[in-house]
Amino acid sequence: MKDLGELRYFLAIEFARSKEGILMHQRKSALELISETGLGAAKPAMPPMDINVKFTNKEYDDHVFNDTNQAEPIVDQGSYQRLIRKLLYVTVTRPYISFCFQNLSQYLQAPKKSHMEEALRIVKYLKKQQDQGVLLSSNKNNVIAAYCDADWVACPNSRKSVTSYAIKMGYSLIIWKSKKQTTVFKSSAEAEYRSLASTMAKIVWIVELIKELGIDVTLMSRCIVIVRLQYK
């Protein structure tokens, strides 16, 4: 074995140490991705995805328009898949693009022009936020806190909602996820409770894992659940 000193670079993840803690970021990977996509001279985009956009697949367009000429053209499948694969690895230290990636990764088989444009928009966003990452705080705080939400009927193709949650240990973000729910719910309240149930299951798992490592943890004493009801 050989001591290489303090960890600074590993698996394309850069580590910067300070009094506040350890910052994990992927600035080099972001710059390489910007260069490979030819967006070095492009203007940075904010935010990473348009909040009003709703992605659809080719079957949905054919059913709605009843005319293949009105549907968006299909882009090169291979180039889109390579771009999404690279964005997947960037989400290791950039949890704020997880929801965007979750949407775009559903159309790998037949991507459209709008899908590629939004994927390139994320790359433009990374250009503005090159040094952003995940901070592992040096503050010794073993309180587990979790935040979750659900986007009701986020997918127009399947009418399913999307669950998103983030779990923090003290001031450090340790787990995050954005995933489409497996069941179609008739109200936003049902989708919210399903998101809460998924988050609680993950909390139980992470607490037991931390206890096996010999670390004492406590859960946040207050739990606030906000449910948005939508009526027609």
Side-chain angles (χ1 to χ4, degrees):
M1 298 179 63
K2 184 178 180 181
D3 186 4
L4 299 179
E6 292 186 355
L7 180 63
R8 297 185 180 275
Y9 189 83
F10 182 72
L11 294 178
I13 301 176
E14 301 175 62
F15 299 84
R17 299 173 182 268
S18 65
K19 294 182 180 179
E20 288 74 19
I22 301 176
L23 177 65
M24 301 170 53
H25 64 93
Q26 294 172 281
R27 183 176 184 271
K28 182 179 179 181
S29 298
L31 292 176
E32 291 177 352
L33 182 57
I34 294 171
S35 177
E36 291 175 1
T37 53
L39 298 176
K43 183 179 179 180
M46 287 289 288
M49 179 176 289
D50 187 358
I51 60 176
N52 297 319
V53 66
K54 291 293 184 181
F55 297 113
T56 57
N57 53 25
K58 184 178 182 301
E59 291 76 11
Y60 180 89
D61 294 341
D62 295 341
H63 176 73
V64 172
F65 296 114
N66 293 323
D67 185 3
T68 57
N69 294 327
Q70 297 185 19
E72 293 185 26
I74 303 298
V75 300
D76 180 40
Q77 179 180 355
S79 60
Y80 181 79
Q81 291 178 347
R82 288 190 295 271
L83 178 57
I84 293 299
R85 183 172 63 249
K86 294 176 182 178
L87 288 175
L88 170 62
Y89 192 71
V90 175
T91 58
V92 173
T93 58
R94 297 174 185 266
Y96 43 83
I97 65 173
S98 297
F99 179 78
C100 308
F101 174 80
Q102 183 274 144
N103 282 323
L104 295 174
S105 61
Q106 302 177 43
Y107 307 98
L108 296 176
Q109 302 303 321
K112 300 188 303 183
K113 182 180 179 181
S114 59
H115 302 150
M116 178 61 80
E117 291 176 351
E118 288 299 326
L120 294 176
R121 181 188 176 97
I122 298 178
V123 179
K124 295 178 183 178
Y125 176 79
L126 296 178
K127 183 179 179 180
K128 185 177 181 62
Q129 308 290 340
Q130 299 177 10
D131 298 326
Q132 293 293 326
V134 176
L135 176 65
L136 302 179
S137 178
S138 59
N139 192 330
K140 295 182 180 180
N141 188 343
N142 294 340
V143 177
I144 301 294
Y147 307 87
C148 66
D149 197 4
D151 190 359
W152 185 49
V153 196
C155 179
N157 304 309
S158 61
R159 312 304 293 177
K160 293 181 179 179
S161 307
V162 174
T163 291
S164 299
Y165 60 79
I167 301 177
K168 298 178 64 177
M169 183 174 179
Y171 299 97
S172 303
L173 183 64
I174 56 176
I175 296 179
W176 60 89
K177 192 172 186 179
S178 180
K179 184 178 181 180
K180 187 189 297 184
Q181 297 179 356
T182 58
T183 307
V184 177
F185 296 104
K186 297 181 180 179
S187 67
S188 60
E190 293 179 285
E192 295 281 358
Y193 280 118
R194 173 61 66 178
S195 176
L196 181 62
S198 301
T199 306
M200 290 303 300
K202 183 61 68 173
I203 290 176
V204 171
W205 177 81
I206 191 64
V207 168
E208 294 299 325
L209 175 62
I210 294 177
K211 287 183 178 179
E212 288 184 4
L213 298 176
I215 303 175
D216 295 329
V217 295
T218 58
L219 299 178
M220 183 176 290
S221 58
R222 293 180 299 173
C223 180
I224 302 176
V225 180
I226 301 177
V227 179
R228 297 190 300 269
L229 298 178
Q230 301 181 5
Y231 300 95
K232 293 183 178 181

